[in-house]
Amino acid sequence: MMKQSEIKELSVAELQEKLGETKKSYSDLKLAHAISPLENPIQLRSIRRTVARIATELTKRDSQ
């Protein structure tokens, strides 16, 4: 999980790369959870929120 302060320090290219990695990680975990329940399903919420944080930062930088 990345904090907002860590996200702000990254460049746009790094943010786009992280967004792709995080989305892939989220889809993999979601698939694994559908097959057999995860030991810690809170991970899904955490990763989904990280995706949202990164996407929000990218949108904010685009509008500036």
Side-chain angles (χ1 to χ4, degrees):
M1 186 177 118
M2 295 182 71
K3 295 186 178 182
Q4 189 64 31
S5 59
E6 296 172 349
I7 292 172
K8 285 183 178 181
E9 293 173 0
L10 298 175
S11 71
V12 174
E14 290 172 326
L15 282 174
Q16 289 171 339
E17 183 180 328
K18 276 283 187 197
L19 184 62
E21 291 172 6
T22 312
K23 279 185 175 180
K24 181 172 178 1
S25 167
Y26 178 69
S27 63
D28 291 346
L29 263 182
K30 200 169 174 183
L31 182 65
H33 185 60
I35 295 170
S36 67
L38 291 175
E39 199 168 300
N40 184 7
I42 304 298
Q43 285 177 312
L44 289 171
R45 183 191 323 164
S46 164
I47 293 177
R48 188 172 64 240
R49 288 181 178 176
T50 300
V51 167
R53 281 189 190 102
I54 294 171
T56 301
E57 183 66 26
L58 280 169
T59 303
K60 191 167 89 174
R61 290 186 187 186
D62 282 346
S63 67
Q64 288 179 348

